[in-house]
């Protein structure tokens, strides 16, 4: 049907519809649509129908909106308005590829429409269609050459395509058109110059970039960025004398910046350790209060000079009362000689301070204040915790708390010691003690909530967080709204450990939604940054968004979700009623009565919780209604609710797992866990070629990883025993396995792996599990391998020993209850604080409640051990 031209009266009404849409006056817009469409002549007017649909979409009526827009489009296929509206509708549903097609169709009928071109360019940059974006920005530049955004957008397009030469030319041409006084402060022009300089540096035109900085130095507002960039460029151009001057001036500006000392070292090129130390000795004289020039030499010094400098550094910090001193020295703990030297010095201080109040009995001068001993003990507690000696660590931290029970940092360290010693519940209790000392400190509050979550105390953690969340809403809802992902990842892990898989998956999906929202939030910046000229930040944002799912929060959530989906695939959740019936059939009358009472209590508790939740929801809805100025004007429909039961009883868990895996395979391919999780999925899906791809990639990262070894053995066995695979596939698999791993026999591969890694507990466990997997008759040998706890073995720590105990109790090494109990007792002697190795019934005896209302004294228990 051809386009219908509206007469003046209806055309005026149509323009008012457009204005109402722009000003979000959707109800008024619908009234004007009705006035046009009620006229029989224009009842089928395509553009009006399309606008009515778009307005209804903004009111959340999606289905009606799509029907109207499609009807309008059918009535007027040659209307750019109908195609544009259809594109806006697709964009609101995040169907960006479809929206781009609609915009392109709209441009066929109105190729110079600025609004459509702008909308198209936004979608192209959002989807990273950089070639298309460049073409669209070129059209906009031709149509509006006087607009600043046209030039900038075109230059950014070339920059993102890594055509730096062209981007630099466009920016220079545009800069020439800007008439700015050299003495006038113009922030936007300054940002343009800095962005231009960034493009020149990325093009490796360092000489030109340096000249550019010197030329426009006065007009750039960010003086620090100018000096730092100068230093980098002078180093690259090997103009070392000038670089020395620049870095010395930067040091004067901030003597605590590590990067300036590193830059000065590169410029001076010291030949020996003495020359290198001289750089810092000069800084000591210049900045006597500076700590960084005293800390950095400790990285490279050795022998007597190291002792002298370390002694001076520690004394200054302990006298001042500087709590983070341990964190500044933590990087030195990779060197055993430096660790023993630190221990020798600090233990000496502690002994001397207690006896005579001085760092050394031979020192002259006044005595140190009592707080110095406190910070020395505080340091020693962290030191012994770091080198896995929790008993000594607790001894020092208890002495410090006894002398000064009001210092929050002491309780924090005590909680950390218990956490590292394997007793997270006691750690949570001490962290709560710390929080009680300062209830207004948000950091301590968050730390306490995190520890509680690690101890599976989810309700307590929620109550703790509610102290700092918005009133009138539940803490969990508010934290989700604020995208508080550390809380949600810890919640997911807690729910997973409690086998509440639905709740854990809900948290993982919430985190996934946050990342989708962060990606969509780019839309707000595509036009804003062009207008405000924050171009360096804009390009950094685009680069960050490209690798957004590399973030540890996403990786942790995705890994947790994949592991849960794998468990759900291996053992799907059954109907609870059937389970109870099966249990009841095997019980005596007395036990049955007990079970019924237990079920009634659980039902009553669940009912009370449900009522509480409903009351909270009602309260929340009332608050939300108050906040809305006009609830009719709400944009977009509600999100699909995440229901734990529905998530846990999904039809195809492996397909859901792949949705989380795909971003990891694209962006976190450097982590071996990504490929091993991929293998676990494809192993269950019986996809041998994808299994091969996964183990190949993992093998390229770490060929000696214990988990990879388990995957390889299972893969070899599958390939050897699978007779259903096509001949071509078998031939490819055998050829690749031989080429990569040298053999296809799983047993001999397992034996060779043991010979290479016989001194590592984690590797021995992997070999033992696979030995039993291949041949159940080897159980005795496998158990001997896995349960060895000799001091000569590496990787002997709480984590690895817990993995061994788990393998014994879960049947990965067959039925072995007595051996598992003996191994637990051995580990308990080694790690007396670790809850994982406590005797059976330990948790029933321990009642832990917050703020010390009612708990068994774990300190006494630990001392008895």
């Amino acid at each position: 049907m051809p386009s219908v031209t509206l007469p003046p009266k209806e055309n005026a009404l149509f323009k008012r519809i457009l204005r109402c849409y722009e000003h979000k006056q959707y109800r008024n817009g619908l009234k004007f649509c009705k006035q046009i469409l009620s006229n029989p002549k224009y009842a089928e007017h395509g553009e009006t129908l399309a606008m009515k649909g778009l307005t209804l979409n903004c009111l959340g009526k999606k289905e009606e909106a799509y029907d109207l827009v499609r009807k309008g489009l059918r009535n007027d296929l040659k209307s750019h308005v109908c195609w544009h509206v259809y594109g806006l509708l697709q964009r609101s549903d995040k169907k960006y590829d479809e929206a781009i097609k609609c915009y392109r169709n709209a441009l066929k009928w109105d190729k110079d429409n600025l609004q459509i071109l702008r909308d198209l360019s936004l979608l192209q940059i959002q989807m990273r269609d950089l070639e298309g974006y460049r073409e669209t920005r070129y059209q906009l530049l031709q149509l509006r050459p006087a607009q600043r955004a046209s030039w900038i957008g075109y230059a950014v397009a070339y920059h993102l395509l890594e055509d730096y030469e062209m981007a630099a030319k466009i920016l220079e041409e545009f800069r020439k058109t800007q008439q700015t006084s050299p003495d006038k402060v113009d922030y936007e022009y300054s940002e343009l110059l800095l962005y231009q300089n960034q493009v020149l540096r990325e093009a490796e035109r360092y000489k030109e970039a340096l000249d550019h900085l010197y030329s426009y130095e006065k007009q750039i507002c960010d003086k620090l960025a100018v000096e730092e960039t100068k230093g980098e460029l002078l180093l690259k151009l090997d103009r070392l004398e000038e670089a020395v001057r620049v870095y010395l001036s930067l040091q004067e500006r901030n003597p605590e910046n590590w990067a300036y000392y590193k830059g000065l070292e590169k410029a001076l090129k010291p030949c020996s350790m003495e020359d290198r130390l001289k750089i810092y000795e000069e800084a000591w004289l210049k900045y006597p209060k500076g700590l960084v020039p005293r800390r950095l030499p400790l990285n490279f010094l050795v022998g007597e000079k190291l002792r002298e400098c370390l002694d001076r550094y520690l004394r200054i910090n302990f006298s001042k009362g500087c709590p983070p001193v341990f964190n500044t020295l933590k990087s030195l703990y990779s060197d055993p000689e430096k660790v023993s030297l630190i221990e020798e010095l600090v233990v000496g201080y502690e002994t001397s301070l207690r006896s005579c109040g001085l760092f050394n009995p031979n020192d002259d001068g006044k005595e140190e204040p009592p707080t110095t001993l406190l910070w020395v003990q505080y340091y020693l507690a962290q030191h012994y915790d770091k080198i896995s000696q929790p008993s000594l660590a607790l001894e020092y931290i208890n002495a410090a708390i006894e002398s000064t029970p009001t210092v929050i940092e002491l309780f924090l360290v005590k909680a950390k010691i218990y956490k590292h010693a394997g007793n997270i519940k006691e750690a949570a209790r001490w962290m709560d003690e710390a929080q009680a000392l300062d209830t207004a400190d948000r950091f301590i509050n968050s730390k306490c909530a995190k520890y509680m979550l690690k101890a599976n105390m989810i309700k307590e953690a929620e109550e703790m967080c509610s102290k700092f969340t918005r009133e009138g809403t539940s803490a969990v809802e508010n934290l989700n709204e604020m995208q508080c992902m550390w809380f949600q990842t810890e919640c997911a892990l807690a729910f997973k450990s409690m086998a509440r898989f639905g709740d854990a998956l809900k948290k993982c999906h919430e985190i996934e939604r946050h990342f989708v929202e962060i990606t969509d939030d780019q839309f707000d910046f595509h036009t804003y940054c062009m207008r405000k000229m924050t171009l360096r930040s804009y390009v950094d944002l685009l680069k960050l968004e490209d690798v957004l799912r590399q973030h540890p929060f996403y990786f942790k959530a995705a890994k947790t979700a994949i592991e849960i989906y794998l468990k759900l695939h291996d053992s799907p959740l059954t109907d609870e009623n059937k389970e109870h019936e099966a249990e009841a059939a095997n019980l005596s009358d007395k036990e049955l009565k007990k079970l019924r009472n237990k079920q009634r209590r659980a039902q009553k508790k669940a009912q009370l919780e449900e009522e509480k939740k409903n009351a909270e929801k009602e309260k929340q809805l009332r608050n939300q209604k108050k906040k809305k100025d006009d609830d009719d004007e709400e944009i977009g429909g509600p999100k699909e609710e995440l229901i734990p039961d529905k998530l846990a009883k999904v039809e195809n868990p492996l397909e859901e797992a792949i949705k989380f895996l795909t971003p990891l395979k694209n962006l976190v391919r450097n982590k071996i866990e990504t490929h091993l999780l991929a293998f676990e999925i494809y192993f269950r899906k019986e996809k041998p070629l994808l299994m091969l791809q996964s183990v190949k990639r993992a093998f390229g990262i770490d060929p000696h990883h214990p988990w990879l070894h388990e995957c390889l053995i299972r893969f070899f066995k599958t390939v050897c025993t699978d007779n259903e695979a096509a001949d071509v596939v078998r031939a490819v698999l055998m050829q690749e396995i031989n080429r990569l791993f040298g053999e296809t026999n799983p047993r001999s591969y397992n034996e060779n792996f043991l010979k290479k890694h016989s001194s590592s507990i984690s590797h021995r466990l992997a070999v033992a599990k696979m030995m039993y997997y291949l041949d159940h008759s080897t159980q005795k040998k496998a158990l001997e391998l896995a349960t060895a706890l000799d001091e000569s073995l590496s990787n002997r720590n709480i984590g690895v020993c817990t993995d061994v105990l788990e393998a014994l109790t879960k049947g990965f090494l067959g039925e072995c209850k007595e051996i598992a109990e003996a191994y637990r007792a051995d580990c308990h002697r080694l790690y007396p604080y670790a809850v994982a190795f406590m005797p059976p019934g330990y948790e029933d005896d321990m009642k832990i409640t917050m703020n010390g209302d009612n708990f068994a004294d774990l300190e006494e228990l630990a001392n008895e051990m």
Side-chain angles (χ1 to χ4, degrees):
M1 191 173 172
S3 297
V4 176
T5 307
L6 292 171
K9 183 187 171 186
E10 278 74 13
N11 194 39
L13 283 170
F14 187 77
K15 284 178 180 174
R16 290 180 79 178
I17 294 167
L18 294 173
R19 276 199 299 277
C20 286
Y21 172 72
E22 285 167 8
H23 294 112
K24 299 182 181 179
Q25 296 168 354
Y26 304 125
R27 291 291 174 199
N28 291 337
L30 287 174
K31 284 177 194 171
F32 298 132
C33 287
K34 191 178 178 182
Q35 284 180 39
I36 295 173
L37 296 170
S38 59
N39 186 334
K41 286 184 184 177
Y42 309 111
E44 296 294 305
H45 185 246
E47 292 180 355
T48 307
L49 286 167
M51 283 307 300
K52 185 180 178 183
L54 184 62
T55 308
L56 286 170
N57 181 59
C58 293
L59 292 170
K61 299 176 181 177
K62 282 201 181 293
E63 285 182 22
E64 200 179 336
Y66 268 101
D67 290 341
L68 283 166
V69 173
R70 284 181 185 132
K71 187 180 176 184
L73 193 55
R74 280 196 297 273
N75 292 344
D76 197 349
L77 277 168
K78 291 187 178 181
S79 163
H80 70 273
V81 173
C82 291
W83 280 110
H84 190 191
V85 166
Y86 195 33
L88 290 170
L89 212 61
Q90 298 281 15
R91 175 184 145 172
S92 73
D93 274 352
K94 297 174 186 171
K95 297 174 182 174
Y96 300 134
D97 290 324
E98 293 299 316
I100 287 171
K101 287 177 192 171
C102 294
Y103 290 156
R104 289 197 184 282
N105 277 323
L107 289 169
K108 284 179 188 174
W109 309 111
D110 189 1
K111 64 176 183 177
D112 293 338
N113 187 304
L114 281 171
Q115 190 54 51
I116 298 172
L117 283 166
R118 284 194 193 110
D119 285 349
L120 176 61
S121 72
L122 287 181
L123 281 180
Q124 285 169 329
I125 189 66
Q126 182 76 7
M127 297 299 290
R128 301 297 187 268
D129 172 15
L130 299 177
E131 294 287 348
Y133 179 67
R134 181 180 61 185
E135 288 168 22
T136 308
R137 294 309 310 190
Y138 180 60
Q139 283 176 269
L140 284 165
L141 179 60
Q142 285 181 312
L143 291 169
R144 287 286 185 275
Q147 278 189 359
R148 184 168 69 178
S150 302
W151 286 89
I152 297 300
Y154 194 41
V156 168
Y158 274 103
H159 182 196
L160 294 173
L161 282 162
E162 297 183 4
D163 186 346
Y164 303 116
E165 299 292 328
M166 191 66 181
K169 280 179 191 173
I170 295 163
L171 287 168
E172 181 56 26
E173 287 304 313
F174 172 65
R175 192 201 58 75
K176 287 174 185 174
T177 65
Q178 302 297 294
Q179 294 177 348
T180 311
S181 166
D183 302 321
K184 187 185 171 188
V185 175
D186 185 339
Y187 175 77
E188 290 180 2
Y189 184 62
S190 160
E191 279 297 305
L192 172 67
L193 291 169
L194 284 168
Y195 177 62
Q196 191 180 2
N197 195 268
Q198 181 183 331
V199 172
L200 290 170
R201 294 199 310 276
E202 287 181 23
E204 296 184 0
R205 289 157 61 175
Y206 302 127
K207 175 77 171 67
E208 206 174 316
L210 188 62
D211 294 342
H212 176 271
L213 271 184
Y214 281 124
S215 304
Y216 301 107
E217 192 174 350
K218 287 183 180 177
Q219 289 161 290
I220 296 173
C221 301
D222 191 346
K223 303 298 180 191
L224 180 62
V226 171
E227 291 302 309
E228 287 178 342
T229 310
K230 265 189 205 173
E232 288 171 23
L233 289 169
L234 289 164
L235 284 175
K236 280 188 166 74
L237 293 166
D238 213 29
R239 288 161 61 173
L240 301 180
E241 286 183 17
E242 292 170 72
V244 168
R245 287 197 292 274
V246 168
Y247 279 112
L248 286 171
S249 70
L250 281 168
Q251 269 184 14
E252 283 177 22
R253 188 178 183 131
N254 181 6
E256 297 297 309
N257 190 317
W258 290 41
Y260 301 159
Y261 293 93
K262 297 292 179 192
L264 190 59
E265 275 192 44
K266 286 177 187 174
L268 288 167
K269 289 188 176 177
C271 303
S272 62
M273 189 179 79
E274 287 74 18
D275 291 344
R276 202 173 170 190
L277 180 60
K278 199 176 176 185
I279 297 168
Y280 295 97
E281 285 175 340
E282 286 172 10
W284 298 346
L285 298 171
K286 264 189 185 178
Y287 317 110
K289 291 184 179 179
L291 289 174
V292 167
R294 294 189 179 278
R295 164 64 188 85
L296 288 175
L298 304 179
N299 292 336
F300 60 83
L301 288 174
V302 289
E304 201 53 42
K305 204 70 188 170
L306 172 65
R307 174 184 281 274
E308 185 188 317
C309 290
L310 187 58
D311 183 38
R312 192 182 300 124
Y313 179 77
L314 287 168
R315 287 185 185 213
I316 290 169
N317 279 286
F318 290 144
S319 293
K320 272 187 179 179
C322 184
V325 64
F326 177 78
N327 290 331
T328 62
L329 293 176
K330 204 187 279 184
S331 58
L332 301 180
Y333 276 68
S334 56
D335 184 340
E337 288 181 18
K338 289 182 180 177
V339 173
S340 59
L341 178 59
I342 290 170
E343 187 175 322
E344 185 190 325
L345 285 169
V346 185
V347 169
Y349 298 157
E350 202 263 347
T351 309
S352 181
L353 283 164
R354 272 198 302 179
S355 62
C356 61
L358 297 168
F359 282 113
N360 192 306
N362 302 323
D363 287 350
D364 297 325
K366 63 178 183 178
E367 287 186 8
E368 291 290 326
T371 53
T372 306
L373 176 61
L374 172 78
W375 295 117
V376 168
Q377 289 170 334
Y378 175 73
Y379 184 94
L380 281 170
Q382 293 174 90
H383 166 80
Y384 284 115
D385 178 40
K386 178 73 178 170
I387 61 173
S388 303
Q389 293 186 29
S391 297
L392 272 173
L394 284 169
E395 194 180 303
Y396 281 110
I397 203 67
N398 286 337
I401 289 171
E402 200 178 318
S403 68
T404 319
T406 53
V407 178
I408 297 171
E409 285 86 349
L410 303 179
F411 293 91
L412 254 72
V413 165
K414 186 163 184 177
K416 201 176 282 187
I417 293 165
Y418 272 113
K419 184 184 85 166
H420 295 159
N423 195 336
I424 190 63
K425 287 200 171 182
E426 184 68 355
R429 184 173 80 79
W430 283 106
M431 193 57 81
D432 187 62
E433 287 284 332
Q435 191 274 333
L437 290 173
D438 186 357
T439 53
D441 189 322
R442 192 190 288 259
F443 169 75
I444 305 289
N445 178 280
S446 301
K447 204 78 176 160
C448 185
K450 193 171 183 178
Y451 272 57
M452 286 173 171
L453 288 171
K454 285 182 185 293
N456 296 343
M457 299 158 74
I458 295 167
K459 279 190 179 176
E460 291 88 340
E462 286 172 14
E463 285 168 20
M464 186 60 64
C465 287
S466 67
K467 295 175 185 178
F468 285 94
T469 53
R470 193 172 62 234
E471 284 183 31
T473 58
S474 75
V476 176
E477 290 295 322
N478 191 227
L479 290 165
N480 182 40
E481 194 183 310
M482 293 194 297
Q483 299 183 341
C484 186
M485 286 187 264
W486 69 262
F487 181 84
Q488 289 171 311
T489 48
E490 291 299 337
C491 268
L493 291 167
F495 283 130
K496 182 190 161 200
S497 69
M498 294 162 75
R500 288 170 60 182
F501 298 135
D503 291 302
L505 286 171
K506 182 182 177 181
K507 294 296 171 195
C508 295
H509 280 279
E510 282 174 354
I511 292 165
E512 161 65 25
R513 282 185 177 182
H514 294 331
F515 279 89
V516 170
E517 281 172 27
I518 293 166
T519 304
D520 290 339
D521 286 346
Q522 286 178 86
F523 268 120
D524 300 332
F525 295 99
H526 295 316
T527 48
Y528 173 85
C529 293
M530 299 283 180
R531 199 171 69 248
K532 292 289 185 183
M533 296 294 282
T534 55
L535 302 172
R536 291 179 300 153
S537 302
Y538 176 56
V539 171
D540 288 345
L541 168 74
L542 295 179
K543 288 176 180 175
L544 168 70
E545 294 280 2
D546 289 341
V547 293
L548 186 65
R549 281 178 169 79
Q550 278 184 357
H551 197 282
F553 281 148
Y554 184 82
F555 181 79
K556 197 184 276 190
K559 184 172 179 276
T560 305
I562 292 166
E563 286 169 352
I564 291 169
Y565 281 125
L566 290 171
K567 277 186 182 178
L568 291 174
H569 174 269
D570 296 342
S571 47
L573 296 181
T574 53
D575 188 3
E576 284 179 29
N577 295 331
K578 285 180 185 174
E579 273 186 17
H580 292 318
E581 283 171 23
E583 278 177 25
N586 301 320
L587 297 176
S588 65
D589 290 345
K590 195 178 178 183
E591 287 172 329
L592 190 61
K593 193 179 176 183
K594 233 183 201 179
L595 179 68
R596 292 273 182 263
N597 288 334
K598 192 179 177 183
Q599 285 173 356
R600 271 198 294 275
R601 282 199 301 273
Q603 199 175 349
K604 197 174 180 183
K605 191 179 176 185
Q607 198 177 337
L608 286 168
E609 280 181 8
E610 191 64 34
E611 284 172 12
K612 194 179 174 184
K613 265 188 190 175
N614 290 337
E616 272 183 8
K617 268 190 181 177
E618 280 176 29
K619 194 177 177 184
Q620 204 173 326
L621 285 168
R622 282 200 298 273
N623 285 329
Q624 283 173 353
K625 278 181 183 175
K626 279 179 194 173
K627 281 180 186 173
K628 285 177 191 168
D629 295 325
D630 186 357
D631 59 338
D632 288 334
E633 304 293 291
E634 188 184 355
I635 297 172
K639 286 181 183 174
E640 186 189 346
E641 193 182 349
L642 296 167
I643 302 160
D645 285 348
K646 197 175 169 185
L647 292 168
K649 291 175 182 174
V650 71
E651 281 182 24
N652 196 335
L654 295 181
E655 290 303 320
E656 295 298 319
I658 283 173
K659 288 177 188 175
F660 279 96
L661 176 72
T662 306
L664 299 186
K665 284 178 78 176
N666 294 332
L667 295 169
V668 200
R669 60 174 75 91
N670 60 329
K671 281 196 175 182
I672 196 166
E673 290 96 329
T674 299
H675 307 296
L676 298 177
L677 288 168
F679 173 84
E680 295 291 352
I681 294 169
Y682 297 133
F683 182 77
R684 286 158 177 79
K685 286 175 78 75
E686 297 177 0
K687 303 275 186 186
L689 291 173
L690 288 170
M691 285 153 61
L692 174 66
Q693 181 197 64
S694 302
V695 292
K696 270 180 75 175
R697 288 176 177 175
F699 196 82
I701 296 169
D702 181 3
H704 308 295
H705 198 282
W707 185 8
L708 170 61
H709 175 70
E710 291 179 36
C711 294
L712 283 170
I713 297 293
R714 285 154 61 203
F715 178 53
F716 292 168
K717 188 181 177 184
T718 305
V719 172
C720 294
T721 56
D722 185 13
N723 298 319
E724 292 177 15
D727 293 339
V728 179
V729 173
R730 277 181 67 82
V732 169
L733 291 171
M734 287 296 186
Q735 184 185 329
E736 281 296 298
I737 289 169
N738 274 319
R739 187 175 68 81
L740 284 167
F741 313 114
E743 57 184 300
T744 55
N745 187 318
R747 286 190 187 183
S748 58
Y749 188 82
N750 201 32
E751 286 166 13
N752 291 334
F753 188 80
L754 177 60
K755 284 174 189 173
K756 289 178 190 171
H757 305 286
S758 58
S759 61
S760 163
I761 295 176
S762 51
H763 291 82
R764 288 165 72 100
L765 173 63
V767 170
K769 280 160 80 174
M770 289 304 101
M771 194 181 281
Y772 182 76
Y773 171 75
L774 293 169
D775 182 2
H776 286 5
S777 66
T778 59
Q779 186 190 21
K780 191 181 177 186
K781 190 182 175 186
L783 287 168
E784 285 173 8
L785 261 181
T787 55
L789 281 169
D790 306 343
E791 280 187 27
S792 57
L793 296 174
S794 61
N795 291 338
R796 195 179 77 169
N797 55 53
I798 293 172
V800 172
C801 290
T802 306
D803 290 341
V804 175
L805 186 59
E806 194 178 315
L808 294 169
T809 51
K810 289 191 175 177
F812 291 120
L813 296 164
E815 190 67 31
C816 51
K817 282 185 181 176
E818 288 179 8
I819 291 171
E821 178 54 30
Y823 184 77
R824 183 208 59 73
D826 290 342
C827 290
H828 181 56
R829 280 192 287 276
L830 282 173
Y831 308 108
Y833 299 96
V835 172
F837 310 126
M838 290 289 180
Y842 160 79
E843 285 195 12
D844 297 337
D845 301 332
M846 304 305 297
K847 286 183 180 178
I848 294 176
T849 55
M850 290 300 101
N851 286 327
D853 295 333
N854 176 29
F855 58 86
D857 195 346
L858 277 180
E859 281 295 288
E860 285 181 24
L861 183 79
N863 291 333
E864 284 170 19
M865 290 170 191

